[in-house]
Amino acid sequence: MFDILSLILISIFFPVIVLVGKMLYKKENINRKLIVGLAITFLAMELLRFFVVASYYDGAIIPSEEVPYSFITLSCIVCLFAVFNKGKLGKIFQGAFCLTRLVPIIWALFDSAVYTNAYDTHAVAKALYFLECGIILTISILIMSEQKITAWSNLWAAVLLIVFAALDCLVITFWGTRDAITLMWGITLIVSFVSIGAVYGIYLLACHLSKKQKAKTIDSGKDNG
C-alpha cells in the first residue's frame, strides 16, 4: 500500500512542481528546453536503474528473472524519438508516447515486480521507477500543450502497446522472467488499452475548455473596448 501511495504521489507532484516552476520562471522557449532536458534525464534514469540492479549481482550479470524490463523501457525509447525526431515519424511517436503515459503507472499498480528487486533494500531502483513515471507525465503534458494530438494517435498508441505485449510474451516465454501470462496480465493489458482512450478524451476536453476560455476572453475584450 505504501508503494502504491508513493507511486501515485510522486507521479502527480513531479509534473505539478515542474509546471509551477515553469509558470514562475516565464522564459522564452522554456517548454522545448524542459522537454529536451527531461527526456535526457529519463534516459539517464532508466540506464541508472538498470546498472543499479546489475550492481546487486556478481559480475553485474542479472538473472533473467530479475531483469528490470517493462513498458517503461519501451516508453523511454519512444520518448527519445518523440522529442528528437522532428519529421513525420516524430509526430507519430509523440502521439503514441503521450497517449500511453499512464501505462507504466498502471503496470506498476497491477504488478510490483516491474519496480521491485529482492536486493534493493534501500529502494533506489524503486525510487527511480517512480520518478520516471513522473517524468513521463511531465513530458507528455508539455508536448500536448504545444502539439496537436490527432485521433490517429490512438491507433499508434495501441500499436505500441501491442508491440510491447508481443515482446513481453516472448520475454516471459523464452527468457523466463518473474512474470507470467495470467488473467491478471490480461486485465492489466486491457486497462492499459482503455487508458489510451481516456487520456485522449481528457485531452479533447482540455482543448475544448481552452477554446471556450479564449472565446470568453476575446468577447470580454470587445465589450470593454
Side-chain angles (χ1 to χ4, degrees), residues 85-130:
N85 190 305
K86 296 182 180 179
K88 289 183 179 180
L89 189 62
K91 297 287 185 185
I92 291 172
F93 279 109
Q94 281 179 2
F97 173 74
C98 290
L99 295 186
T100 56
R101 64 186 178 187
L102 295 180
V103 176
I105 297 173
I106 291 168
W107 222 267
L109 291 174
F110 279 87
D111 184 11
S112 62
V114 300
Y115 60 80
T116 57
N117 183 281
Y119 298 102
D120 189 28
T121 53
H122 297 292
V124 178
K126 184 189 297 184
L128 286 170
Y129 186 98
F130 292 175

Side-chain angles (χ1 to χ4, degrees), residues 142-163:
L142 291 171
I143 289 175
M144 293 175 90
S145 69
E146 62 178 18
Q147 299 290 340
K148 185 179 179 182
I149 305 297
T150 65
W152 281 103
S153 296
N154 288 280
L155 173 62
W156 301 123
V159 168
L160 177 61
L161 202 51
I162 290 169
V163 168

Side-chain angles (χ1 to χ4, degrees), residues 7-8 11 42 46 49 70-76 79 96-115 128-137 140 160-161 164 188 191-193 195-196 199:
L7 171 63
I8 293 171
S11 298
F42 184 16
E46 183 62 14
R49 190 167 67 92
S70 65
F71 185 84
I72 205 166
T73 306
L74 186 59
S75 187
C76 182
C79 177
F97 173 74
C98 290
L99 295 186
T100 56
R101 64 186 178 187
L102 295 180
V103 176
I105 297 173
I106 291 168
W107 222 267
L109 291 174
F110 279 87
D111 184 11
S112 62
V114 300
Y115 60 80
L128 286 170
Y129 186 98
F130 292 175
L131 285 170
E132 285 177 63
C133 288
I135 288 174
I136 289 170
L137 287 181
S140 64
L160 177 61
L161 202 51
F164 166 73
T188 308
V191 174
S192 298
F193 274 112
S195 74
I196 293 172
V199 171

Side-chain angles (χ1 to χ4, degrees), residues 158-189:
V159 168
L160 177 61
L161 202 51
I162 290 169
V163 168
F164 166 73
L167 289 174
D168 204 34
C169 286
L170 289 174
V171 168
I172 290 169
T173 304
F174 298 105
W175 208 346
T177 62
R178 284 181 296 176
D179 295 326
I181 303 171
T182 60
L183 177 61
M184 186 57 69
W185 184 91
I187 291 172
T188 308
L189 190 61

